[in-house]
Amino acid sequence: DFAYSKKVTSTRSTPYSSTIMNILQSIFTDYYEHIIYELHPRPAVIENVNKMIHCGDPSHGGAMYGCPHCGNLKFVPFRCKSRFCPSCGNKYNQLRSFHMSCKLVACVHRHCVFTIPKELRDYFLKDRSLLNCLFHSVRDVILRMFSKMNKAENFTPGFICVLHTFGRDLKWNPHIHALISEGGAGYIIPWRPVKHFDYNFLRNAFRKVLLEQLVSCIGPSFRKVKNEMYTNHADGFYVRVKPNLCTPDITIKYISRYLGRPVIATSRIDHYDGENVTFSLPEEDDKTVTETIPALDFIKKLIVHIPEKHFKMLRYYGIYAKHHKQEKKLRKCVSAEKQRFIRSIQDWRQSILLSFGYDPLCCSKCGTSMLVLEVYHKKNFINNVMANPTHSLFCHVIFYFQFIIHHF
């Protein structure tokens, strides 16, 4: 988020080192070689870090705007749209939260958390494809809990699952946040409210289904671990199913806030001196703890949570699944008219106007709304054009030519 990004000047030469970088960009820019040659990160990490470092870099493309009244020019660089960028990730989370809200049926929803024991966490870290087993296990357990209430009706709830791979201390701790409707749609009965969630069934069924899926994916070598899990966790795996104390929109904001950005907000990074990073983490009872560690260790804490390319951290199930036949029969929390209005103000220009109170395409000299002149994509072309002293005159000529055609 632009409003929360602390600003520091980069100490390393970059394609746009004369500009102001946020503190996360500065840390990763200074230690980029260490990341590549010492940490040997996954390809998805390298891709997202590169995008984040060059987010807003004019040499990577942008759009040139011009004022039709006074001829004033303004260049707006492209953003990276990376899963690891605090600026682009905040915008992604806003759009995703809105999409989740549009899916919700007008009923009470319960926020449940499905966790796994410490002994199993390393399996998911070494083979990230096993994270799909977490989603599948939660899906099967929830659908089974509702369907066994009436096998003839086979009640189906709507629920949204979000994967978090971190705990309060930023360590690897994969778990699923599920927002489940307190009710389900049947074959004949349009809707049946469900206030009681079978806590014991969820714990034991989640343990059983997850361990069976891990055996099928890992192989017979996992059977010994499976038996140990039944012995050490006789009551099942921990599942939080307490009734909500907050509204669904607050819950959605909480579970979706780290879908497309780093697991720590830049506002929590207090200091960076080139070698060490001081940051604060939340604890229970609204307290915070401050920690200072070497920059490379701080980087390790963050990049381990970058997902693989195309991996879906958010998934819809039940009546919230795509093209479900019963979805259109139920009243939504957000009406269709309200959805259309909110979508109309979610473009780049309107978002900045609503968030910061100014129009980014309003001419700073005369106040006229600026128009697009040209869009640049290639880095080499950008460098050549910017180095051309006649570029400004060239843009003015193009602009007035387009302006005449547009108006006459």
Side-chain angles (χ1 to χ4, degrees):
D1 188 353
F2 296 108
Y4 298 103
S5 297
K6 296 186 178 181
K7 303 295 182 178
V8 295
T9 304
S10 173
T11 58
R12 181 175 177 269
S13 177
T14 65
Y16 62 123
S17 58
S18 60
T19 65
I20 302 300
M21 306 172 69
N22 69 52
I23 192 169
L24 204 61
Q25 284 179 312
S26 181
I27 294 172
F28 277 82
T29 301
D30 293 344
Y31 282 84
Y32 185 78
E33 288 79 8
H34 296 273
I35 297 172
I36 299 299
Y37 298 111
E38 293 182 27
L39 302 184
H40 305 290
R42 295 171 287 123
V45 173
I46 299 175
E47 179 182 355
N48 281 278
V49 169
N50 282 331
K51 287 182 178 180
M52 183 269 294
I53 288 176
H54 295 95
C55 184
D57 186 349
S59 66
H60 282 64
M64 182 70 73
Y65 292 86
C67 176
H69 185 263
C70 66
N72 183 35
L73 297 176
K74 179 178 182 179
F75 183 78
V76 180
F78 290 145
R79 311 307 298 187
C80 67
K81 298 179 176 61
S82 165
R83 290 189 177 190
F84 194 62
C85 179
S87 299
C88 300
N90 184 66
K91 175 63 176 177
Y92 172 82
N93 291 344
Q94 291 177 358
L95 295 175
R96 186 55 62 188
S97 297
F98 168 69
H99 187 263
M100 291 168 66
S101 300
C102 294
K103 282 280 189 178
L104 297 185
V105 173
C107 72
V108 179
H109 286 71
R110 187 169 302 193
H111 178 204
C112 300
V113 184
F114 294 78
T115 64
I116 61 174
K118 292 182 179 180
E119 300 91 330
L120 296 180
R121 294 174 187 173
D122 285 342
Y123 289 95
F124 294 91
L125 181 60
K126 295 176 182 177
D127 184 1
R128 291 175 181 257
S129 65
L130 296 178
L131 293 172
N132 289 308
C133 296
L134 274 179
F135 280 106
H136 299 161
S137 301
V138 172
R139 175 200 61 192
D140 295 345
V141 169
I142 294 175
L143 291 177
R144 174 59 180 165
M145 183 185 69
F146 276 80
S147 65
K148 72 185 184 72
M149 296 177 184
N150 189 325
K151 294 183 179 180
E153 284 287 345
N154 191 25
F155 291 108
T156 304
F159 55 104
I160 304 172
C161 294
V162 178
L163 172 66
H164 283 191
T165 59
F166 55 92
R168 291 182 182 270
D169 55 359
L170 301 184
K171 292 181 180 178
W172 178 258
N173 180 18
H175 55 281
I176 297 287
H177 290 263
L179 193 62
I180 310 171
S181 63
E182 290 191 357
Y187 290 132
I188 300 176
I189 302 175
W191 187 259
R192 173 183 169 177
V194 177
K195 298 297 182 182
H196 172 69
F197 281 27
D198 193 339
Y199 173 72
N200 291 325
F201 170 80
L202 288 175
R203 288 188 61 138
N204 289 284
F206 178 57
R207 177 192 59 184
K208 177 179 182 295
V209 175
L210 178 60
L211 291 177
E212 287 181 351
Q213 292 209 17
L214 290 178
V215 169
S216 64
C217 293
I218 299 175
S221 61
F222 188 76
R223 293 189 182 276
K224 182 179 179 181
V225 179
K226 175 184 175 182
N227 295 333
E228 292 176 354
M229 290 296 102
Y230 277 99
T231 303
N232 299 333
H233 301 276
D235 296 330
F237 295 162
Y238 177 72
V239 179
R240 183 191 180 278
V241 292
K242 295 180 180 180
N244 293 351
L245 299 178
C246 55
T247 57
D249 57 335
I250 297 177
T251 304
I252 286 176
K253 185 177 180 181
Y254 171 76
I255 65 177
S256 66
R257 60 180 173 172
Y258 295 115
L259 281 175
R261 65 186 181 97
V263 296
I264 185 172
T266 52
S267 59
R268 292 194 176 274
I269 305 176
D270 302 320
H271 182 66
Y272 169 58
D273 59 6
E275 294 183 358
N276 298 308
V277 179
T278 302
F279 59 96
S280 57
L281 294 174
E283 284 191 336
E284 296 180 358
D285 301 327
D286 296 330
K287 295 180 180 179
T288 59
V289 57
T290 302
E291 186 177 353
T292 300
I293 60 176
L296 199 60
D297 292 340
F298 176 75
I299 291 172
K300 290 180 184 178
K301 283 179 172 287
L302 300 189
I303 63 175
V304 70
H305 302 292
I306 296 178
E308 294 296 328
K309 191 173 184 179
H310 304 308
F311 182 80
K312 304 299 182 184
M313 303 284 285
L314 167 68
R315 306 189 186 187
Y316 299 91
Y317 296 112
I319 59 175
Y320 294 158
K322 192 173 183 180
H323 303 309
H324 196 280
K325 61 181 180 180
Q326 292 166 313
E327 181 186 15
K328 295 181 179 180
K329 300 178 182 179
L330 303 171
R331 186 167 63 91
K332 300 297 184 65
C333 287
V334 183
S335 64
E337 294 77 10
K338 189 174 181 180
Q339 291 182 30
R340 285 193 292 269
F341 171 75
I342 295 178
R343 286 193 178 96
S344 67
I345 60 174
Q346 283 186 333
D347 65 317
W348 166 74
R349 182 178 185 179
Q350 293 294 333
S351 296
I352 293 182
L353 180 62
L354 292 174
S355 300
F356 306 110
Y358 76 95
D359 186 352
L361 296 184
C362 181
C363 180
S364 58
K365 293 184 178 180
C366 65
T368 305
S369 182
M370 306 179 82
L371 303 176
V372 179
L373 291 180
E374 194 168 353
V375 176
Y376 305 99
H377 292 284
K378 295 182 180 180
K379 178 178 178 180
N380 293 334
F381 181 71
I382 285 285
N383 292 336
N384 293 336
V385 170
M386 292 304 181
N388 188 352
T390 62
H391 173 63
S392 178
L393 178 61
F394 175 71
C395 284
H396 275 76
V397 172
I398 293 179
F399 171 73
Y400 285 118
F401 179 72
Q402 291 182 344
F403 178 76
I404 291 173
I405 295 177
H406 179 72
H407 287 79
F408 301 100

